[in-house]
Amino acid sequence: MLTNLKWLEVGKKFPPDSEIARLEMYHTNKALFECRHAEVYAEDLKRIERVIGNFGEVVSYPVILNFQKLISLKVSDLLLGEPPQFQAKNEGQQDTIDDIIDRSNAVNTSQQVIIDASRYGDGLFYIRKEGDKGIIDLTNPLVWFPIVNPDDAREVTNHVLAWTYENGDNKYLKAQVHYKGYYDEMLFEVLGSTISKKIEETKNIKTGLDDFAVIQVPNIRTSDRATGYDDYTDIDSIISEIIVRVGQIAKILDKHASPSMSGPS
């Protein structure tokens, strides 16, 4: 849990240690959503290999039971399968609301945010302006680092969006520190996992909003957490076990379906 911005300075490690477990969970759940179960459940393969022996020839993963993805899609469908109606409070503003919703493809955007809330524990709307036009977009929780009030983990004081990229032989870290009404944009050079130097002066960019441009949509959350709980962790072990058993049974059935017969000539 981050309570200040001191981690975003030269000489500090990126990502900060307190966020590594959360980001690893995001990467794991992303792999599960994308049907890459074999790499996530590799330890289950090793566990059964110690019992069966020549595991590679006995058990495989012919069937991927992606219940995790089905849960996320079902939650999204239950909430937004029937498109919601957006109505303005004041007369004369409905046309503006309709224009924003149509231009932003807001229903599909909201579905993606809900899917992220299911698989990561949090989805993130990203509100921005293009000229005089308002846009309702989303951003990736993998680049999100919430700064919270140390007295109340649920109160976010800053939303930080930070990500690394490479240009030639150099690695850079770009960061946006969001406040209500504006954000500061910074660029750093990174060596290994350490912020080595600041490349550009901080840019102050107005958002034209009264609130944060980043809007957190948490899944189930408790009083001592800044982020929500994902839908995958609680069922990971049983799904991995089911996939392994289905793989074993499939191999056995294949052998019985095509037996090797031998006898006297």
Side-chain angles (χ1 to χ4, degrees):
M1 188 170 65
L2 301 171
T3 58
N4 56 58
L5 294 167
K6 292 182 180 180
W7 59 274
L8 199 60
E9 296 175 347
V10 173
K12 299 294 185 179
K13 181 181 177 182
F14 182 84
D17 289 334
S18 63
E19 302 302 294
I20 289 176
R22 176 175 66 90
L23 296 177
E24 287 178 348
M25 182 269 286
Y26 288 176
H27 285 291
T28 296
N29 289 2
K30 182 176 186 293
L32 291 173
F33 187 84
E34 295 173 353
C35 291
R36 292 185 279 125
H37 288 60
E39 62 187 74
V40 175
Y41 296 146
E43 290 302 315
D44 294 271
L45 293 173
K46 295 178 182 178
R47 174 176 59 83
I48 297 178
E49 184 175 8
R50 291 195 295 268
V51 176
I52 293 179
N54 194 3
F55 182 69
E57 297 181 5
V58 178
V59 181
S60 61
Y61 277 82
V63 179
I64 295 298
L65 305 176
N66 200 344
F67 293 115
Q68 292 99 331
K69 183 177 182 179
L70 291 176
I71 287 173
S72 295
L73 296 179
K74 180 56 66 176
V75 169
S76 173
D77 186 52
L78 288 172
L79 289 174
L80 296 167
E82 182 177 343
Q85 295 183 351
F86 300 89
Q87 295 182 337
K89 291 183 178 180
N90 302 320
E91 294 183 5
Q93 294 181 339
Q94 190 61 46
D95 289 342
T96 301
I97 295 294
D98 292 340
D99 179 61
I100 292 173
I101 297 303
D102 291 341
R103 190 176 346 99
S104 302
N105 198 9
V107 174
N108 287 337
T109 299
S110 299
Q111 287 179 324
Q112 294 172 55
V113 170
I114 294 302
I115 288 172
D116 281 350
S118 172
R119 61 180 180 167
Y120 298 142
D122 290 280
L124 300 170
F125 282 107
Y126 187 50
I127 314 300
R128 70 177 195 272
K129 293 181 71 176
E130 292 183 354
D132 294 331
K133 303 292 186 180
I135 301 291
I136 300 174
D137 205 349
L138 76 163
T139 192
N140 190 347
L142 284 163
V143 304
W144 174 61
F145 300 87
I147 311 299
V148 302
N149 183 342
D151 297 326
D152 185 357
R154 297 170 300 170
E155 181 186 344
V156 177
T157 57
N158 298 99
H159 293 278
V160 179
L161 303 180
W163 62 96
T164 58
Y165 65 93
E166 295 183 1
N167 187 358
D169 295 331
N170 298 323
K171 183 179 179 181
Y172 299 97
L173 168 66
K174 192 168 187 177
Q176 296 178 354
V177 181
H178 283 259
Y179 300 83
K180 293 184 178 181
Y182 69 96
Y183 64 88
D184 290 336
E185 187 172 270
M186 295 169 278
L187 183 65
F188 301 92
E189 186 172 342
V190 178
L191 290 177
S193 59
T194 303
I195 302 173
S196 59
K197 65 179 178 179
K198 193 172 184 180
I199 302 297
E200 298 176 353
E201 292 297 321
T202 301
K203 299 177 183 177
N204 184 270
I205 300 174
K206 304 294 184 183
T207 63
L209 304 171
D210 296 329
D211 206 337
F212 291 112
V214 178
I215 307 297
Q216 177 188 8
V217 181
N219 202 334
I220 294 174
R221 187 170 60 168
T222 56
S223 61
D224 57 349
R225 283 179 63 97
T227 57
Y229 288 97
D230 67 288
D231 289 336
Y232 293 4
T233 301
D234 289 344
I235 61 173
D236 268 347
S237 60
I238 189 170
I239 290 179
S240 67
E241 190 70 18
I242 291 172
I243 290 177
V244 168
R245 297 307 172 196
V246 169
Q248 290 175 314
I249 292 169
K251 273 294 187 188
I252 293 170
L253 292 178
D254 285 344
K255 285 191 172 185
H256 284 284
S258 182
S260 297
M261 302 297 292
S262 63
S265 59

